[in-house]
PDB file of all heavy atoms in Angstrom:
ATOM      1  N   ALA A  12      48.205   1.734 -62.051  1.00 96.00           N
ATOM      2  CA  ALA A  12      47.212   2.780 -61.912  1.00 96.00           C
ATOM      3  C   ALA A  12      46.862   3.320 -63.295  1.00 96.00           C
ATOM      4  O   ALA A  12      47.669   3.231 -64.223  1.00 96.00           O
ATOM      5  CB  ALA A  12      47.732   3.899 -61.018  1.00 96.00           C
ATOM      6  N   PRO A  13      45.665   3.890 -63.459  1.00 92.00           N
ATOM      7  CA  PRO A  13      45.280   4.443 -64.763  1.00 92.00           C
ATOM      8  C   PRO A  13      46.294   5.453 -65.277  1.00 92.00           C
ATOM      9  O   PRO A  13      46.720   6.346 -64.542  1.00 92.00           O
ATOM     10  CB  PRO A  13      43.931   5.099 -64.477  1.00 92.00           C
ATOM     11  CG  PRO A  13      43.388   4.340 -63.317  1.00 92.00           C
ATOM     12  CD  PRO A  13      44.586   4.008 -62.475  1.00 92.00           C
ATOM     13  N   GLY A  14      46.685   5.301 -66.538  1.00 94.00           N
ATOM     14  CA  GLY A  14      47.619   6.220 -67.150  1.00 94.00           C
ATOM     15  C   GLY A  14      49.067   6.022 -66.766  1.00 94.00           C
ATOM     16  O   GLY A  14      49.913   6.827 -67.173  1.00 94.00           O
ATOM     17  N   LYS A  15      49.372   4.989 -66.007  1.00 95.00           N
ATOM     18  CA  LYS A  15      50.739   4.742 -65.570  1.00 95.00           C
ATOM     19  C   LYS A  15      51.205   3.362 -66.021  1.00 95.00           C
ATOM     20  O   LYS A  15      50.401   2.472 -66.311  1.00 95.00           O
ATOM     21  CB  LYS A  15      50.859   4.852 -64.051  1.00 95.00           C
ATOM     22  CG  LYS A  15      50.508   6.214 -63.490  1.00 95.00           C
ATOM     23  CD  LYS A  15      50.790   6.292 -62.007  1.00 95.00           C
ATOM     24  CE  LYS A  15      52.282   6.198 -61.724  1.00 95.00           C
ATOM     25  NZ  LYS A  15      52.577   6.350 -60.262  1.00 95.00           N
ATOM     26  N   GLN A  16      52.515   3.197 -66.078  1.00 96.00           N
ATOM     27  CA  GLN A  16      53.103   1.911 -66.415  1.00 96.00           C
ATOM     28  C   GLN A  16      52.907   0.919 -65.266  1.00 96.00           C
ATOM     29  O   GLN A  16      52.779   1.312 -64.104  1.00 96.00           O
ATOM     30  CB  GLN A  16      54.595   2.063 -66.714  1.00 96.00           C
ATOM     31  CG  GLN A  16      54.929   2.951 -67.899  1.00 96.00           C
ATOM     32  CD  GLN A  16      54.826   2.225 -69.214  1.00 96.00           C
ATOM     33  OE1 GLN A  16      54.372   1.080 -69.281  1.00 96.00           O
ATOM     34  NE2 GLN A  16      55.250   2.878 -70.276  1.00 96.00           N
ATOM     35  N   ARG A  17      52.893  -0.358 -65.618  1.00 97.00           N
ATOM     36  CA  ARG A  17      52.836  -1.379 -64.601  1.00 97.00           C
ATOM     37  C   ARG A  17      54.097  -1.337 -63.743  1.00 97.00           C
ATOM     38  O   ARG A  17      55.210  -1.188 -64.257  1.00 97.00           O
ATOM     39  CB  ARG A  17      52.680  -2.753 -65.251  1.00 97.00           C
ATOM     40  CG  ARG A  17      52.426  -3.877 -64.256  1.00 97.00           C
ATOM     41  CD  ARG A  17      52.239  -5.198 -64.969  1.00 97.00           C
ATOM     42  NE  ARG A  17      53.442  -5.619 -65.654  1.00 97.00           N
ATOM     43  CZ  ARG A  17      53.527  -6.666 -66.463  1.00 97.00           C
ATOM     44  NH1 ARG A  17      52.439  -7.389 -66.699  1.00 97.00           N
ATOM     45  NH2 ARG A  17      54.672  -6.981 -67.042  1.00 97.00           N
ATOM     46  N   GLU A  18      53.926  -1.476 -62.449  1.00 98.00           N
ATOM     47  CA  GLU A  18      55.019  -1.353 -61.498  1.00 98.00           C
ATOM     48  C   GLU A  18      55.167  -2.643 -60.697  1.00 98.00           C
ATOM     49  O   GLU A  18      54.192  -3.155 -60.136  1.00 98.00           O
ATOM     50  CB  GLU A  18      54.766  -0.177 -60.545  1.00 98.00           C
ATOM     51  CG  GLU A  18      55.809  -0.005 -59.455  1.00 98.00           C
ATOM     52  CD  GLU A  18      55.422   1.040 -58.431  1.00 98.00           C
ATOM     53  OE1 GLU A  18      54.226   1.375 -58.351  1.00 98.00           O
ATOM     54  OE2 GLU A  18      56.315   1.532 -57.713  1.00 98.00           O
ATOM     55  N   TRP A  19      56.372  -3.154 -60.623  1.00 98.00           N
ATOM     56  CA  TRP A  19      56.648  -4.294 -59.772  1.00 98.00           C
ATOM     57  C   TRP A  19      56.634  -3.862 -58.304  1.00 98.00           C
ATOM     58  O   TRP A  19      57.192  -2.820 -57.954  1.00 98.00           O
ATOM     59  CB  TRP A  19      58.004  -4.904 -60.131  1.00 98.00           C
ATOM     60  CG  TRP A  19      58.467  -5.944 -59.165  1.00 98.00           C
ATOM     61  CD1 TRP A  19      58.046  -7.234 -59.064  1.00 98.00           C
ATOM     62  CD2 TRP A  19      59.456  -5.767 -58.146  1.00 98.00           C
ATOM     63  NE1 TRP A  19      58.705  -7.880 -58.044  1.00 98.00           N
ATOM     64  CE2 TRP A  19      59.580  -7.001 -57.467  1.00 98.00           C
ATOM     65  CE3 TRP A  19      60.253  -4.692 -57.750  1.00 98.00           C
ATOM     66  CZ2 TRP A  19      60.465  -7.179 -56.411  1.00 98.00           C
ATOM     67  CZ3 TRP A  19      61.133  -4.868 -56.701  1.00 98.00           C
ATOM     68  CH2 TRP A  19      61.235  -6.102 -56.047  1.00 98.00           C
ATOM     69  N   VAL A  20      56.018  -4.668 -57.454  1.00 98.00           N
ATOM     70  CA  VAL A  20      55.841  -4.323 -56.053  1.00 98.00           C
ATOM     71  C   VAL A  20      56.684  -5.192 -55.136  1.00 98.00           C
ATOM     72  O   VAL A  20      57.409  -4.694 -54.279  1.00 98.00           O
ATOM     73  CB  VAL A  20      54.357  -4.419 -55.641  1.00 98.00           C
ATOM     74  CG1 VAL A  20      54.185  -4.175 -54.145  1.00 98.00           C
ATOM     75  CG2 VAL A  20      53.521  -3.423 -56.440  1.00 98.00           C
ATOM     76  N   ALA A  21      56.577  -6.517 -55.293  1.00 98.00           N
ATOM     77  CA  ALA A  21      57.250  -7.433 -54.377  1.00 98.00           C
ATOM     78  C   ALA A  21      57.362  -8.800 -55.018  1.00 98.00           C
ATOM     79  O   ALA A  21      56.623  -9.132 -55.949  1.00 98.00           O
ATOM     80  CB  ALA A  21      56.498  -7.532 -53.044  1.00 98.00           C
ATOM     81  N   SER A  22      58.270  -9.611 -54.513  1.00 98.00           N
ATOM     82  CA  SER A  22      58.436 -10.965 -55.004  1.00 98.00           C
ATOM     83  C   SER A  22      58.786 -11.903 -53.867  1.00 98.00           C
ATOM     84  O   SER A  22      59.344 -11.490 -52.842  1.00 98.00           O
ATOM     85  CB  SER A  22      59.513 -11.034 -56.090  1.00 98.00           C
ATOM     86  OG  SER A  22      60.790 -10.723 -55.562  1.00 98.00           O
ATOM     87  N   ILE A  23      58.462 -13.162 -54.072  1.00 97.00           N
ATOM     88  CA  ILE A  23      58.847 -14.210 -53.139  1.00 97.00           C
ATOM     89  C   ILE A  23      59.259 -15.430 -53.952  1.00 97.00           C
ATOM     90  O   ILE A  23      58.600 -15.793 -54.925  1.00 97.00           O
ATOM     91  CB  ILE A  23      57.717 -14.538 -52.138  1.00 97.00           C
ATOM     92  CG1 ILE A  23      58.212 -15.509 -51.068  1.00 97.00           C
ATOM     93  CG2 ILE A  23      56.480 -15.073 -52.853  1.00 97.00           C
ATOM     94  CD1 ILE A  23      57.277 -15.603 -49.871  1.00 97.00           C
ATOM     95  N   THR A  24      60.359 -16.046 -53.570  1.00 96.00           N
ATOM     96  CA  THR A  24      60.893 -17.174 -54.306  1.00 96.00           C
ATOM     97  C   THR A  24      60.369 -18.488 -53.752  1.00 96.00           C
ATOM     98  O   THR A  24      59.662 -18.534 -52.741  1.00 96.00           O
ATOM     99  CB  THR A  24      62.424 -17.184 -54.253  1.00 96.00           C
ATOM    100  OG1 THR A  24      62.854 -17.496 -52.921  1.00 96.00           O
ATOM    101  CG2 THR A  24      62.999 -15.834 -54.668  1.00 96.00           C
ATOM    102  N   THR A  25      60.749 -19.571 -54.418  1.00 94.00           N
ATOM    103  CA  THR A  25      60.390 -20.892 -53.929  1.00 94.00           C
ATOM    104  C   THR A  25      61.034 -21.191 -52.585  1.00 94.00           C
ATOM    105  O   THR A  25      60.529 -22.027 -51.836  1.00 94.00           O
ATOM    106  CB  THR A  25      60.797 -21.968 -54.941  1.00 94.00           C
ATOM    107  OG1 THR A  25      62.204 -21.882 -55.206  1.00 94.00           O
ATOM    108  CG2 THR A  25      60.038 -21.783 -56.253  1.00 94.00           C
ATOM    109  N   GLY A  26      62.139 -20.520 -52.296  1.00 94.00           N
ATOM    110  CA  GLY A  26      62.807 -20.660 -51.016  1.00 94.00           C
ATOM    111  C   GLY A  26      62.390 -19.628 -49.992  1.00 94.00           C
ATOM    112  O   GLY A  26      63.035 -19.515 -48.945  1.00 94.00           O
ATOM    113  N   ASP A  27      61.348 -18.858 -50.299  1.00 95.00           N
ATOM    114  CA  ASP A  27      60.753 -17.863 -49.399  1.00 95.00           C
ATOM    115  C   ASP A  27      61.619 -16.629 -49.206  1.00 95.00           C
ATOM    116  O   ASP A  27      61.414 -15.876 -48.245  1.00 95.00           O
ATOM    117  CB  ASP A  27      60.420 -18.475 -48.038  1.00 95.00           C
ATOM    118  CG  ASP A  27      59.335 -19.532 -48.109  1.00 95.00           C
ATOM    119  OD1 ASP A  27      58.646 -19.611 -49.147  1.00 95.00           O
ATOM    120  OD2 ASP A  27      59.183 -20.285 -47.132  1.00 95.00           O
ATOM    121  N   SER A  28      62.573 -16.396 -50.100  1.00 97.00           N
ATOM    122  CA  SER A  28      63.290 -15.131 -50.084  1.00 97.00           C
ATOM    123  C   SER A  28      62.394 -14.032 -50.654  1.00 97.00           C
ATOM    124  O   SER A  28      61.674 -14.254 -51.625  1.00 97.00           O
ATOM    125  CB  SER A  28      64.574 -15.220 -50.900  1.00 97.00           C
ATOM    126  OG  SER A  28      65.467 -16.167 -50.346  1.00 97.00           O
ATOM    127  N   THR A  29      62.447 -12.851 -50.068  1.00 98.00           N
ATOM    128  CA  THR A  29      61.561 -11.759 -50.466  1.00 98.00           C
ATOM    129  C   THR A  29      62.346 -10.526 -50.863  1.00 98.00           C
ATOM    130  O   THR A  29      63.426 -10.256 -50.329  1.00 98.00           O
ATOM    131  CB  THR A  29      60.591 -11.390 -49.337  1.00 98.00           C
ATOM    132  OG1 THR A  29      61.334 -10.980 -48.180  1.00 98.00           O
ATOM    133  CG2 THR A  29      59.725 -12.582 -48.964  1.00 98.00           C
ATOM    134  N   THR A  30      61.794  -9.768 -51.803  1.00 98.00           N
ATOM    135  CA  THR A  30      62.331  -8.477 -52.199  1.00 98.00           C
ATOM    136  C   THR A  30      61.172  -7.523 -52.433  1.00 98.00           C
ATOM    137  O   THR A  30      60.056  -7.944 -52.733  1.00 98.00           O
ATOM    138  CB  THR A  30      63.203  -8.564 -53.461  1.00 98.00           C
ATOM    139  OG1 THR A  30      62.478  -9.222 -54.509  1.00 98.00           O
ATOM    140  CG2 THR A  30      64.487  -9.330 -53.182  1.00 98.00           C
ATOM    141  N   TYR A  31      61.464  -6.216 -52.316  1.00 98.00           N
ATOM    142  CA  TYR A  31      60.423  -5.202 -52.394  1.00 98.00           C
ATOM    143  C   TYR A  31      60.890  -4.000 -53.188  1.00 98.00           C
ATOM    144  O   TYR A  31      62.075  -3.660 -53.203  1.00 98.00           O
ATOM    145  CB  TYR A  31      60.023  -4.729 -50.995  1.00 98.00           C
ATOM    146  CG  TYR A  31      59.505  -5.826 -50.102  1.00 98.00           C
ATOM    147  CD1 TYR A  31      60.363  -6.540 -49.280  1.00 98.00           C
ATOM    148  CD2 TYR A  31      58.150  -6.148 -50.097  1.00 98.00           C
ATOM    149  CE1 TYR A  31      59.890  -7.554 -48.465  1.00 98.00           C
ATOM    150  CE2 TYR A  31      57.667  -7.163 -49.286  1.00 98.00           C
ATOM    151  CZ  TYR A  31      58.542  -7.860 -48.469  1.00 98.00           C
ATOM    152  OH  TYR A  31      58.069  -8.861 -47.666  1.00 98.00           O
ATOM    153  N   ALA A  32      59.942  -3.347 -53.831  1.00 98.00           N
ATOM    154  CA  ALA A  32      60.215  -2.055 -54.426  1.00 98.00           C
ATOM    155  C   ALA A  32      60.467  -1.038 -53.326  1.00 98.00           C
ATOM    156  O   ALA A  32      59.905  -1.129 -52.227  1.00 98.00           O
ATOM    157  CB  ALA A  32      59.044  -1.613 -55.299  1.00 98.00           C
ATOM    158  N   ASP A  33      61.314  -0.063 -53.617  1.00 98.00           N
ATOM    159  CA  ASP A  33      61.630   0.946 -52.617  1.00 98.00           C
ATOM    160  C   ASP A  33      60.385   1.683 -52.131  1.00 98.00           C
ATOM    161  O   ASP A  33      60.311   2.097 -50.968  1.00 98.00           O
ATOM    162  CB  ASP A  33      62.637   1.949 -53.178  1.00 98.00           C
ATOM    163  CG  ASP A  33      64.031   1.364 -53.326  1.00 98.00           C
ATOM    164  OD1 ASP A  33      64.323   0.337 -52.686  1.00 98.00           O
ATOM    165  OD2 ASP A  33      64.834   1.945 -54.082  1.00 98.00           O
ATOM    166  N   SER A  34      59.405   1.841 -52.998  1.00 98.00           N
ATOM    167  CA  SER A  34      58.218   2.600 -52.662  1.00 98.00           C
ATOM    168  C   SER A  34      57.351   1.934 -51.600  1.00 98.00           C
ATOM    169  O   SER A  34      56.535   2.604 -50.960  1.00 98.00           O
ATOM    170  CB  SER A  34      57.379   2.859 -53.916  1.00 98.00           C
ATOM    171  OG  SER A  34      57.001   1.638 -54.534  1.00 98.00           O
ATOM    172  N   VAL A  35      57.514   0.628 -51.405  1.00 98.00           N
ATOM    173  CA  VAL A  35      56.688  -0.098 -50.443  1.00 98.00           C
ATOM    174  C   VAL A  35      57.496  -0.745 -49.336  1.00 98.00           C
ATOM    175  O   VAL A  35      56.911  -1.300 -48.394  1.00 98.00           O
ATOM    176  CB  VAL A  35      55.816  -1.167 -51.132  1.00 98.00           C
ATOM    177  CG1 VAL A  35      54.997  -0.551 -52.261  1.00 98.00           C
ATOM    178  CG2 VAL A  35      56.678  -2.312 -51.663  1.00 98.00           C
ATOM    179  N   LYS A  36      58.802  -0.683 -49.421  1.00 98.00           N
ATOM    180  CA  LYS A  36      59.661  -1.325 -48.433  1.00 98.00           C
ATOM    181  C   LYS A  36      59.371  -0.780 -47.036  1.00 98.00           C
ATOM    182  O   LYS A  36      59.290   0.428 -46.826  1.00 98.00           O
ATOM    183  CB  LYS A  36      61.124  -1.117 -48.804  1.00 98.00           C
ATOM    184  CG  LYS A  36      62.106  -1.972 -48.023  1.00 98.00           C
ATOM    185  CD  LYS A  36      63.531  -1.792 -48.561  1.00 98.00           C
ATOM    186  CE  LYS A  36      63.618  -2.206 -50.021  1.00 98.00           C
ATOM    187  NZ  LYS A  36      65.010  -2.060 -50.565  1.00 98.00           N
ATOM    188  N   GLY A  37      59.212  -1.689 -46.085  1.00 98.00           N
ATOM    189  CA  GLY A  37      58.895  -1.312 -44.722  1.00 98.00           C
ATOM    190  C   GLY A  37      57.413  -1.222 -44.435  1.00 98.00           C
ATOM    191  O   GLY A  37      57.020  -1.161 -43.260  1.00 98.00           O
ATOM    192  N   ARG A  38      56.583  -1.203 -45.473  1.00 98.00           N
ATOM    193  CA  ARG A  38      55.133  -1.123 -45.305  1.00 98.00           C
ATOM    194  C   ARG A  38      54.421  -2.386 -45.761  1.00 98.00           C
ATOM    195  O   ARG A  38      53.406  -2.772 -45.175  1.00 98.00           O
ATOM    196  CB  ARG A  38      54.570   0.080 -46.066  1.00 98.00           C
ATOM    197  CG  ARG A  38      55.131   1.418 -45.610  1.00 98.00           C
ATOM    198  CD  ARG A  38      54.409   2.583 -46.281  1.00 98.00           C
ATOM    199  NE  ARG A  38      54.581   2.565 -47.734  1.00 98.00           N
ATOM    200  CZ  ARG A  38      53.575   2.457 -48.606  1.00 98.00           C
ATOM    201  NH1 ARG A  38      52.317   2.379 -48.176  1.00 98.00           N
ATOM    202  NH2 ARG A  38      53.822   2.460 -49.914  1.00 98.00           N
ATOM    203  N   PHE A  39      54.927  -3.020 -46.813  1.00 98.00           N
ATOM    204  CA  PHE A  39      54.301  -4.216 -47.380  1.00 98.00           C
ATOM    205  C   PHE A  39      55.112  -5.453 -47.013  1.00 98.00           C
ATOM    206  O   PHE A  39      56.346  -5.398 -46.900  1.00 98.00           O
ATOM    207  CB  PHE A  39      54.218  -4.121 -48.903  1.00 98.00           C
ATOM    208  CG  PHE A  39      53.242  -3.110 -49.433  1.00 98.00           C
ATOM    209  CD1 PHE A  39      52.651  -2.163 -48.612  1.00 98.00           C
ATOM    210  CD2 PHE A  39      52.916  -3.114 -50.780  1.00 98.00           C
ATOM    211  CE1 PHE A  39      51.759  -1.237 -49.111  1.00 98.00           C
ATOM    212  CE2 PHE A  39      52.021  -2.193 -51.294  1.00 98.00           C
ATOM    213  CZ  PHE A  39      51.444  -1.247 -50.457  1.00 98.00           C
ATOM    214  N   THR A  40      54.425  -6.578 -46.871  1.00 98.00           N
ATOM    215  CA  THR A  40      55.073  -7.855 -46.606  1.00 98.00           C
ATOM    216  C   THR A  40      54.460  -8.930 -47.485  1.00 98.00           C
ATOM    217  O   THR A  40      53.243  -9.121 -47.467  1.00 98.00           O
ATOM    218  CB  THR A  40      54.935  -8.270 -45.132  1.00 98.00           C
ATOM    219  OG1 THR A  40      55.499  -7.260 -44.287  1.00 98.00           O
ATOM    220  CG2 THR A  40      55.668  -9.586 -44.881  1.00 98.00           C
ATOM    221  N   ILE A  41      55.290  -9.614 -48.241  1.00 98.00           N
ATOM    222  CA  ILE A  41      54.834 -10.732 -49.057  1.00 98.00           C
ATOM    223  C   ILE A  41      55.180 -12.027 -48.336  1.00 98.00           C
ATOM    224  O   ILE A  41      56.253 -12.154 -47.742  1.00 98.00           O
ATOM    225  CB  ILE A  41      55.446 -10.689 -50.474  1.00 98.00           C
ATOM    226  CG1 ILE A  41      54.831 -11.762 -51.368  1.00 98.00           C
ATOM    227  CG2 ILE A  41      56.962 -10.812 -50.435  1.00 98.00           C
ATOM    228  CD1 ILE A  41      55.239 -11.644 -52.838  1.00 98.00           C
ATOM    229  N   SER A  42      54.271 -12.976 -48.364  1.00 98.00           N
ATOM    230  CA  SER A  42      54.487 -14.257 -47.714  1.00 98.00           C
ATOM    231  C   SER A  42      53.707 -15.326 -48.464  1.00 98.00           C
ATOM    232  O   SER A  42      52.877 -15.020 -49.319  1.00 98.00           O
ATOM    233  CB  SER A  42      54.069 -14.215 -46.240  1.00 98.00           C
ATOM    234  OG  SER A  42      52.684 -13.939 -46.120  1.00 98.00           O
ATOM    235  N   ARG A  43      53.970 -16.572 -48.142  1.00 96.00           N
ATOM    236  CA  ARG A  43      53.235 -17.648 -48.785  1.00 96.00           C
ATOM    237  C   ARG A  43      52.972 -18.777 -47.809  1.00 96.00           C
ATOM    238  O   ARG A  43      53.764 -19.051 -46.904  1.00 96.00           O
ATOM    239  CB  ARG A  43      53.982 -18.153 -50.030  1.00 96.00           C
ATOM    240  CG  ARG A  43      55.289 -18.891 -49.770  1.00 96.00           C
ATOM    241  CD  ARG A  43      56.103 -19.054 -51.057  1.00 96.00           C
ATOM    242  NE  ARG A  43      55.336 -19.683 -52.127  1.00 96.00           N
ATOM    243  CZ  ARG A  43      55.710 -19.727 -53.405  1.00 96.00           C
ATOM    244  NH1 ARG A  43      56.854 -19.151 -53.784  1.00 96.00           N
ATOM    245  NH2 ARG A  43      54.944 -20.325 -54.309  1.00 96.00           N
ATOM    246  N   ASP A  44      51.831 -19.422 -48.010  1.00 94.00           N
ATOM    247  CA  ASP A  44      51.459 -20.626 -47.291  1.00 94.00           C
ATOM    248  C   ASP A  44      51.454 -21.744 -48.317  1.00 94.00           C
ATOM    249  O   ASP A  44      50.488 -21.916 -49.061  1.00 94.00           O
ATOM    250  CB  ASP A  44      50.092 -20.460 -46.631  1.00 94.00           C
ATOM    251  CG  ASP A  44      49.723 -21.640 -45.748  1.00 94.00           C
ATOM    252  OD1 ASP A  44      50.222 -22.757 -45.978  1.00 94.00           O
ATOM    253  OD2 ASP A  44      48.920 -21.441 -44.808  1.00 94.00           O
ATOM    254  N   LYS A  45      52.538 -22.485 -48.385  1.00 89.00           N
ATOM    255  CA  LYS A  45      52.692 -23.493 -49.425  1.00 89.00           C
ATOM    256  C   LYS A  45      51.682 -24.634 -49.281  1.00 89.00           C
ATOM    257  O   LYS A  45      51.236 -25.195 -50.278  1.00 89.00           O
ATOM    258  CB  LYS A  45      54.118 -24.034 -49.415  1.00 89.00           C
ATOM    259  CG  LYS A  45      55.156 -22.999 -49.820  1.00 89.00           C
ATOM    260  CD  LYS A  45      56.561 -23.577 -49.828  1.00 89.00           C
ATOM    261  CE  LYS A  45      57.567 -22.537 -50.273  1.00 89.00           C
ATOM    262  NZ  LYS A  45      58.961 -23.067 -50.264  1.00 89.00           N
ATOM    263  N   ALA A  46      51.315 -24.966 -48.051  1.00 90.00           N
ATOM    264  CA  ALA A  46      50.350 -26.032 -47.839  1.00 90.00           C
ATOM    265  C   ALA A  46      48.977 -25.671 -48.387  1.00 90.00           C
ATOM    266  O   ALA A  46      48.227 -26.545 -48.832  1.00 90.00           O
ATOM    267  CB  ALA A  46      50.252 -26.378 -46.356  1.00 90.00           C
ATOM    268  N   LYS A  47      48.631 -24.380 -48.357  1.00 92.00           N
ATOM    269  CA  LYS A  47      47.329 -23.924 -48.825  1.00 92.00           C
ATOM    270  C   LYS A  47      47.378 -23.301 -50.214  1.00 92.00           C
ATOM    271  O   LYS A  47      46.351 -22.838 -50.707  1.00 92.00           O
ATOM    272  CB  LYS A  47      46.738 -22.924 -47.836  1.00 92.00           C
ATOM    273  CG  LYS A  47      46.440 -23.520 -46.468  1.00 92.00           C
ATOM    274  CD  LYS A  47      45.798 -22.497 -45.545  1.00 92.00           C
ATOM    275  CE  LYS A  47      45.461 -23.108 -44.203  1.00 92.00           C
ATOM    276  NZ  LYS A  47      44.834 -22.116 -43.292  1.00 92.00           N
ATOM    277  N   ASN A  48      48.554 -23.264 -50.829  1.00 94.00           N
ATOM    278  CA  ASN A  48      48.714 -22.710 -52.178  1.00 94.00           C
ATOM    279  C   ASN A  48      48.237 -21.258 -52.259  1.00 94.00           C
ATOM    280  O   ASN A  48      47.529 -20.868 -53.191  1.00 94.00           O
ATOM    281  CB  ASN A  48      47.971 -23.559 -53.209  1.00 94.00           C
ATOM    282  CG  ASN A  48      48.602 -24.912 -53.427  1.00 94.00           C
ATOM    283  OD1 ASN A  48      49.787 -25.106 -53.186  1.00 94.00           O
ATOM    284  ND2 ASN A  48      47.809 -25.863 -53.901  1.00 94.00           N
ATOM    285  N   VAL A  49      48.643 -20.459 -51.305  1.00 96.00           N
ATOM    286  CA  VAL A  49      48.239 -19.058 -51.245  1.00 96.00           C
ATOM    287  C   VAL A  49      49.460 -18.180 -51.013  1.00 96.00           C
ATOM    288  O   VAL A  49      50.326 -18.512 -50.200  1.00 96.00           O
ATOM    289  CB  VAL A  49      47.209 -18.810 -50.128  1.00 96.00           C
ATOM    290  CG1 VAL A  49      46.835 -17.331 -50.071  1.00 96.00           C
ATOM    291  CG2 VAL A  49      45.960 -19.645 -50.347  1.00 96.00           C
ATOM    292  N   VAL A  50      49.517 -17.071 -51.736  1.00 97.00           N
ATOM    293  CA  VAL A  50      50.503 -16.030 -51.506  1.00 97.00           C
ATOM    294  C   VAL A  50      49.773 -14.775 -51.043  1.00 97.00           C
ATOM    295  O   VAL A  50      48.733 -14.419 -51.598  1.00 97.00           O
ATOM    296  CB  VAL A  50      51.331 -15.748 -52.770  1.00 97.00           C
ATOM    297  CG1 VAL A  50      52.218 -14.520 -52.575  1.00 97.00           C
ATOM    298  CG2 VAL A  50      52.192 -16.952 -53.110  1.00 97.00           C
ATOM    299  N   PHE A  51      50.312 -14.118 -50.039  1.00 98.00           N
ATOM    300  CA  PHE A  51      49.687 -12.940 -49.456  1.00 98.00           C
ATOM    301  C   PHE A  51      50.532 -11.695 -49.706  1.00 98.00           C
ATOM    302  O   PHE A  51      51.748 -11.765 -49.865  1.00 98.00           O
ATOM    303  CB  PHE A  51      49.517 -13.098 -47.942  1.00 98.00           C
ATOM    304  CG  PHE A  51      48.703 -14.286 -47.536  1.00 98.00           C
ATOM    305  CD1 PHE A  51      49.311 -15.435 -47.064  1.00 98.00           C
ATOM    306  CD2 PHE A  51      47.323 -14.258 -47.621  1.00 98.00           C
ATOM    307  CE1 PHE A  51      48.572 -16.531 -46.679  1.00 98.00           C
ATOM    308  CE2 PHE A  51      46.562 -15.346 -47.245  1.00 98.00           C
ATOM    309  CZ  PHE A  51      47.188 -16.489 -46.776  1.00 98.00           C
ATOM    310  N   LEU A  52      49.873 -10.568 -49.725  1.00 98.00           N
ATOM    311  CA  LEU A  52      50.538  -9.282 -49.686  1.00 98.00           C
ATOM    312  C   LEU A  52      49.877  -8.457 -48.590  1.00 98.00           C
ATOM    313  O   LEU A  52      48.768  -7.949 -48.773  1.00 98.00           O
ATOM    314  CB  LEU A  52      50.461  -8.556 -51.027  1.00 98.00           C
ATOM    315  CG  LEU A  52      51.231  -7.238 -51.094  1.00 98.00           C
ATOM    316  CD1 LEU A  52      52.738  -7.490 -50.999  1.00 98.00           C
ATOM    317  CD2 LEU A  52      50.906  -6.467 -52.371  1.00 98.00           C
ATOM    318  N   GLN A  53      50.540  -8.364 -47.450  1.00 98.00           N
ATOM    319  CA  GLN A  53      50.062  -7.542 -46.345  1.00 98.00           C
ATOM    320  C   GLN A  53      50.498  -6.110 -46.587  1.00 98.00           C
ATOM    321  O   GLN A  53      51.692  -5.844 -46.729  1.00 98.00           O
ATOM    322  CB  GLN A  53      50.613  -8.055 -45.019  1.00 98.00           C
ATOM    323  CG  GLN A  53      50.208  -7.222 -43.811  1.00 98.00           C
ATOM    324  CD  GLN A  53      48.730  -7.301 -43.521  1.00 98.00           C
ATOM    325  OE1 GLN A  53      48.156  -8.394 -43.525  1.00 98.00           O
ATOM    326  NE2 GLN A  53      48.102  -6.163 -43.270  1.00 98.00           N
ATOM    327  N   MET A  54      49.553  -5.195 -46.626  1.00 98.00           N
ATOM    328  CA  MET A  54      49.826  -3.803 -46.926  1.00 98.00           C
ATOM    329  C   MET A  54      49.422  -2.952 -45.727  1.00 98.00           C
ATOM    330  O   MET A  54      48.242  -2.899 -45.366  1.00 98.00           O
ATOM    331  CB  MET A  54      49.075  -3.357 -48.179  1.00 98.00           C
ATOM    332  CG  MET A  54      49.340  -4.232 -49.401  1.00 98.00           C
ATOM    333  SD  MET A  54      48.534  -3.612 -50.900  1.00 98.00           S
ATOM    334  CE  MET A  54      46.808  -3.761 -50.404  1.00 98.00           C
ATOM    335  N   ASN A  55      50.389  -2.297 -45.119  1.00 98.00           N
ATOM    336  CA  ASN A  55      50.157  -1.429 -43.972  1.00 98.00           C
ATOM    337  C   ASN A  55      50.531   0.005 -44.323  1.00 98.00           C
ATOM    338  O   ASN A  55      51.244   0.263 -45.287  1.00 98.00           O
ATOM    339  CB  ASN A  55      50.974  -1.895 -42.769  1.00 98.00           C
ATOM    340  CG  ASN A  55      50.615  -3.286 -42.306  1.00 98.00           C
ATOM    341  OD1 ASN A  55      49.453  -3.689 -42.357  1.00 98.00           O
ATOM    342  ND2 ASN A  55      51.614  -4.032 -41.828  1.00 98.00           N
TER     343      ASN A  55
END
């Protein structure tokens, strides 16, 4: 955000393991479609 440091939000590994920042845990979901070469971030 303007005037703020860059913040890590979420990650997904090659094995599809996921981790989240505490600020978004339970609301955001990271996933990937390896066949389509796309990574998603669902934000609720």
Side-chain angles (χ1 to χ4, degrees):
K15 299 186 66 177
Q16 298 277 7
R17 188 178 65 187
E18 177 188 19
W19 171 77
V20 175
S22 66
I23 187 166
T24 69
T25 57
D27 294 346
S28 297
T29 60
T30 53
Y31 301 91
D33 288 341
S34 59
V35 306
K36 192 174 300 181
R38 300 187 298 119
F39 290 12
T40 302
I41 187 171
S42 62
R43 69 193 306 167
D44 186 334
K45 293 181 178 179
K47 296 183 178 180
N48 291 336
V49 179
V50 172
F51 302 102
L52 184 67
Q53 178 67 46
M54 306 184 297
N55 298 324

